[in-house]
Every structure is written in C-alpha cells, then in structure tokens.
Amino acid sequence: MIETISILFYLKRAKANAQGLAPIFQRITINGKRLDNSTGKFIYPSKWHPEMSKMRGNSEEARLINSHLEYLKIKIFTAEKSLIANNLDVTVENIKNNLIGATKRKRFLVPIFEEHNNKINELLGLEYAPGTYERYQTSLKHTKDFLNWKYNVSDFDIENIDHAFIADYEFYLRSVRKCANNTAVKYIKNFNKIIKICLANYWLEKNPFANYKSKVKEVERVYLSEDEIQNIINKDFKTERLSLVRDIFLFSCFTGLAYIDVKNLTKSHISIGIDGDKWIFTHRQKTESASKIPVLPVTQMIIDKYADHPQSINEDKLLPILSNQKMNAYLKEIAAVCEIEKELTFHIARHTFATTITLTNGVPIESVSKMLGHKNLRTTQHYAKVLDKKVSEDMKILRDKFSLIPKNENKKII
C-alpha cells in the first residue's frame, strides 16, 4: 500500500533569534506520523505567507528561499520513489533514513588520523611531549602500511572498519612488523583512540573494538642495586660530559622523576615542605598529576653543584640536562666503565627510585606512589615489585616465631 505524503512548511515564531528572524521548518506527515526538520532558513514573520507555505513577494531573497523549499520538497518525493523502487514501505522512518543516506558524507581513516596528529603537534610543550607525537606518527605509518598490505589501498572508509579489520591489523603488526606483544597492543591502543574520535562525532554507529580484547604482558622492570648505584657514585670520570650525565641520572635515581620532568625543573620548583625541609613540587608532564618529593642529601649536592652552571642560568633550569638521546647514549658508556651489564637508560633511574631507594628501605608503597605522581597503586606496583630482600626480612620474623616453639611431636604448632 502506497501512503500519501503530506509536506508542509511553517514558521516557528517561538524560536525567533535576537534579530527577530524566525526559522522555517518542514513537516512531513505519512499515515498520521510526523517528521519535523529545520530547513536552515530564517525570515521575518511578517514576510511569511502561512496559507501558501512560502515567503511573500518576488524579491531576490524570496526567490532564493522559496526555491530552496521547493528543492527540499523534490528531495522528499525522490526519496519516496526510491523506497517504492526498492519495495520498501513509505514510512516516516524510511523517508528519514533515505534522506540521511543520500546526504551522508563519506569519511576516510587517514585524514582523520592526520588531523589528530596535527593537533598533537600544535600542542607540543603544552599538553603533549615530543615522544607522544612521534608515537602517533609511527602508528599512522603502520596503519597506512597495513592498508596497502591487506587491501592494496592508500585509504579506507571508516564505515568498513569492523572487528575483522582490527584482528587483521593486530596480525599484521605481530607477523609482518615483528612487533612484540606489548608493542602491538600499544599500536592497537593508539588506533583505538582514532576510532573513539569517530564514535564521539557520530561518524560510526558501531564500535569495532566492542568485542576486542588484548592484554599487556607484565615486563620485569630493570633497576640498579645499591652496589651498582654506589659504584656509579664513586667512579671518577675523566670527561665532563660523563660526569654531568652521571649526576643527572643519580638525581633521577633519588627523586624518581622522568627525563622530561627533570628537564622542566626550575629553581622555583624547590620550596619548603611540611616538615620544614626542602621539597620538589612539580607536575608530571605525562599525566599532569602532582609530584611532591623531599630533597635527599645526594639530590641537594647535585643541585648545588650545578647552581652556577652557564646552561642552568641562561635557560633558567635547575640542571643543565642534555637531550634524552644523548643521555641514553652516554649512559651506555657509563655502564661499560662501571662494569654494569644491564641495558642502562634514563628511565631505569625511575625504577631504581621505586625499588632500591624507597621500597627496599621501608618506605610504604602509598608514599612511593605519591612521590612518583601515580594516580593509583596499581601503576606503582609495576615499577616497584616486592623485592627478595623485603621478603627475607618479613619471613625472618615468622622464622624466629617458629624457632621458639619446643620440638615436641605431640604438640600442635598451629
């Protein structure tokens, strides 16, 4: 049965704007059901002809607006013909869906990803670190390479991204790119952010990640022992650059600050804490969470040593830090000279603070978490595992307790 479509244009006087212009609305009625939409046009109420459902007069404005209303009417009748041709019922819902489908803009993955990365680039130093931008640029490159590998295309309609697409992308990262588990999961997580942008803008109706599950495998964190730290402290380096890198690295070992947070420190970040001693008050760039760290004697010695350094004065920095790449390169030299067989990087200092400097010496994990600027203890536990030494000390108490019980076979121990 073919239903009769009724089309009416009317003025919504109650929604007039500050200039007194009222919006023209379109009403589609089919079998008693209505669909009201704004036409996007505004006129003064005095110029509207309610009986004719159009604007009065023959002015240029009237001709343009009335022509637009006629165009909208033709679109509806075209949608009706399309439904009939496809053996679909002519209903308000189907007319609406047909109109939306006819005007819906196709969106492609790569431009959305590029726009996201461009915004990060513009906010470098404000909300994002350079490493974040580089990571998303690498993710974009992997995504482009995957599209070429799997579909032999340079771009992809986002509406065609489904669970199979995600699964194939992960397979590509693990097989072709030879990514380790955590690296593959990281790139998939980066890609998921782009999908979330599409969902938030209603460009996608279904979330392709809805039934996707991935798990980061726990990695054993590398940190330095007390002997290794002492070895680095005692070593007399012949070059100034290695001495500087050693001191900055030790500064991080005794504060738990990441490279970028050490780099951003100025003298203004040092203030008197609740105990009357000097503390470092800063915010982590990565999470923007607060870090409040008491200044230990070793830390203060390093601060004093470089207080008058030209770079510290000229750049208004607490310490004259080098680039992260140079720091890591020189740390490998330091490891070789000090006969440390671990792969020494600047971030190991943060792990060392969490384990050797604090937890091993009885600092509660809650306090460690606060100093590291973590938002929950779960994150801290990745950095600070319960050490063998701590287990030994805890079990010694239990061992001493049982050693006092008489060796009597007939007596119950517990």
Side-chain angles (χ1 to χ4, degrees):
M1 179 179 175
I2 300 175
E3 301 292 345
T4 302
I5 297 179
S6 170
I7 302 170
L8 171 71
F9 294 102
Y10 66 97
L11 214 59
K12 266 200 176 181
R13 299 172 188 271
K15 288 189 175 286
N17 60 26
Q19 289 75 39
L21 296 167
I24 302 173
F25 268 67
Q26 176 191 63
R27 174 173 294 164
I28 305 169
T29 306
I30 303 174
N31 196 25
K33 290 187 177 181
R34 294 175 175 178
L35 174 64
D36 289 65
N37 288 314
S38 172
T39 64
K41 299 298 181 181
F42 291 77
I43 66 168
Y44 289 108
S46 60
K47 295 183 178 182
W48 182 249
H49 197 308
E51 288 78 20
M52 299 293 291
S53 290
K54 66 178 185 178
M55 186 174 175
R56 299 177 186 271
N58 294 310
S59 65
E60 181 67 20
E61 180 190 14
R63 284 198 298 271
L64 288 172
I65 287 180
N66 291 335
S67 176
H68 180 70
L69 300 183
E70 190 63 28
Y71 166 72
L72 294 178
K73 189 183 294 186
I74 292 171
K75 280 181 66 178
I76 295 166
F77 289 126
T78 302
E80 177 191 27
K81 289 180 181 178
S82 175
L83 293 175
I84 295 171
N86 288 284
N87 294 317
L88 296 172
D89 292 335
V90 179
T91 65
V92 165
E93 291 79 10
N94 285 343
I95 287 286
K96 179 182 177 182
N97 291 335
N98 187 281
L99 291 172
I100 292 173
T103 60
K104 194 171 182 181
R105 171 186 166 191
K106 281 185 174 291
R107 295 186 182 273
F108 289 86
L109 177 60
V110 172
I112 297 170
F113 212 138
E114 288 176 336
E115 183 181 0
H116 165 269
N117 290 7
N118 290 337
K119 287 179 179 178
I120 289 181
N121 189 36
E122 290 175 11
L123 293 172
L124 286 180
L126 299 173
E127 294 185 23
Y128 298 99
T132 304
Y133 174 68
E134 290 174 12
R135 188 174 76 246
Y136 276 104
Q137 283 292 84
T138 304
S139 294
L140 173 58
K141 182 183 182 303
H142 287 334
T143 302
K144 288 179 177 178
D145 291 344
F146 165 70
L147 293 177
N148 183 58
W149 174 80
K150 176 67 179 178
Y151 303 100
N152 196 29
V153 296
S154 59
D155 210 343
F156 205 75
D157 187 340
I158 61 171
E159 287 196 335
N160 294 328
I161 298 175
D162 53 14
H163 183 273
F165 180 100
I166 307 299
D168 287 338
Y169 187 22
E170 182 181 358
F171 173 78
Y172 166 81
L173 290 170
R174 294 178 184 276
S175 60
V176 179
R177 301 301 310 181
K178 307 295 182 186
C179 292
N181 177 80
N182 291 2
T183 305
V185 171
K186 178 186 70 175
Y187 287 130
I188 293 293
K189 184 179 179 182
N190 292 343
F191 184 75
N192 190 17
K193 185 182 177 185
I194 306 303
I195 296 300
K196 286 179 178 178
I197 291 172
C198 296
L199 291 167
N201 285 286
Y202 301 103
W203 299 335
L204 281 179
E205 294 183 5
K206 293 182 180 180
N207 184 2
F209 278 91
N211 297 312
Y212 172 82
K213 289 184 180 180
S214 63
K215 188 174 182 181
V216 175
K217 292 180 181 177
E218 198 164 316
V219 178
E220 191 68 31
R221 305 286 178 175
V222 178
Y223 59 89
L224 298 183
S225 65
E226 287 184 8
D227 290 340
E228 289 168 330
I229 295 170
Q230 197 62 51
N231 189 8
I232 293 175
I233 292 173
N234 294 338
K235 199 70 178 178
D236 183 22
F237 294 103
K238 302 301 180 184
T239 61
E240 184 180 337
R241 63 178 173 84
L242 289 184
S243 294
L244 171 63
V245 172
R246 182 266 309 273
D247 293 341
I248 305 295
F249 178 76
L250 289 173
F251 181 89
S252 183
C253 285
F254 285 89
T255 60
L257 291 171
Y259 167 82
I260 190 62
D261 299 319
V262 176
K263 184 179 180 180
N264 291 337
L265 285 180
T266 65
K267 292 179 181 178
S268 63
H269 288 107
I270 308 293
S271 190
I272 302 300
I274 194 171
D275 55 3
D277 291 325
K278 289 183 179 179
W279 284 46
I280 296 172
F281 294 87
T282 186
H283 283 79
R284 291 196 65 202
Q285 180 167 299
K286 183 177 179 179
T287 61
E288 296 184 355
S289 54
S291 284
K292 302 175 184 179
I293 310 150
V295 176
L296 298 173
V298 175
T299 311
Q300 187 61 53
M301 286 174 61
I302 296 170
I303 293 172
D304 294 340
K305 182 176 179 179
Y306 294 98
D308 297 324
H309 192 282
Q311 186 179 336
S312 300
I313 296 171
N314 294 335
E315 298 179 5
D316 188 29
K317 297 294 183 182
L318 188 67
L319 297 170
I321 193 167
L322 305 178
S323 70
N324 198 20
Q325 290 82 358
K326 287 185 178 179
M327 292 289 292
N328 286 328
Y330 295 152
L331 280 171
K332 287 174 174 56
E333 288 187 45
I334 291 173
V337 172
C338 296
E339 298 181 351
I340 296 172
E341 296 183 359
K342 295 167 183 174
E343 186 77 14
L344 204 56
T345 64
F346 196 89
H347 204 67
I348 286 178
R350 189 165 165 82
H351 305 323
T352 301
F353 174 79
T355 53
T356 309
I357 302 300
T358 54
L359 275 189
T360 303
N361 289 299
V363 179
I365 194 169
E366 292 83 3
S367 299
V368 176
S369 183
K370 193 171 182 65
M371 287 187 285
L372 289 172
H374 289 162
K375 294 182 178 179
N376 56 64
L377 286 178
R378 206 169 172 184
T379 308
T380 313
Q381 287 165 348
H382 290 301
Y383 282 89
K385 291 298 173 188
V386 178
L387 307 173
D388 291 342
K389 181 179 177 182
K390 186 73 170 61
V391 173
S392 175
E393 290 172 353
D394 292 341
M395 291 302 292
K396 186 177 183 302
I397 299 171
L398 189 63
R399 188 182 295 110
D400 292 343
K401 173 186 173 182
F402 285 121
S403 67
L404 296 174
I405 298 174
K407 295 181 179 179
N408 187 336
E409 292 181 2
N410 296 323
K411 186 171 181 179
K412 290 183 178 180
I413 294 177
I414 298 177

